[in-house]
Amino acid sequence: MESDYTRPARPPQRGRRRLCTALPILGLVLAVPPLVLSVLFSLQAVQYLQPLQEIGAADAGTKAGLIVMSSTGWLALAAAIVLVLVAYRRPVLRWRAWWSVAIVAVGLANPLAWALLGFV
């Protein structure tokens, strides 16, 4: 029979630690669908660029724009991975919250830019 004096106390910051661990994961889960759209759009831009280069129908500005569009999805994916790693290195809840918001912002940046610029 355990009494109140023999039971070990719970750590006082246990709930806060769980929240600190969960925030970057939540940010990444929210950012995965837009990141997938970003990468798929980048692959479509590459597929559009290849025939234009083969027949020589695109000018330098068009090629440069397609190269930028084809690399933005991969750069956003790399940035999200870096932000997740940085978020796990920060021990403070406030820092992890802001880095998690940054993960979601990076994930939403490309699809939002395409919608505003008229690519979609």
Side-chain angles (χ1 to χ4, degrees):
M1 180 168 116
E2 286 187 16
S3 69
D4 289 336
Y5 299 110
T6 60
R7 195 170 8 152
R10 290 187 341 192
Q13 299 292 331
R14 187 175 77 168
R16 190 175 183 102
R17 227 178 328 159
R18 284 184 183 170
L19 185 61
C20 275
T21 305
L23 275 176
I25 294 171
L26 179 66
L28 187 62
V29 166
L30 291 175
V32 164
L35 284 172
V36 169
L37 287 175
S38 298
V39 170
L40 289 176
F41 183 78
S42 294
L43 291 174
Q44 287 178 353
V46 169
Q47 289 176 353
Y48 185 71
L49 178 63
Q50 184 180 4
L52 287 178
Q53 284 183 339
E54 287 176 359
I55 62 173
D59 59 344
T62 305
K63 285 181 186 178
L66 285 172
I67 289 171
V68 167
M69 285 192 293
S70 66
S71 63
T72 55
W74 300 104
L75 290 174
L77 182 64
I81 291 170
V82 167
L83 288 173
V84 167
L85 295 175
V86 169
Y88 271 113
R89 298 285 296 170
R90 302 289 183 186
V92 181
L93 177 64
R94 182 178 48 178
W95 280 96
R96 285 198 179 183
W98 282 111
W99 284 103
S100 301
V101 168
I103 294 167
V104 174
V106 163
L108 291 174
N110 275 341
L112 186 62
W114 303 328
L116 292 176
L117 294 175
F119 292 127
V120 178

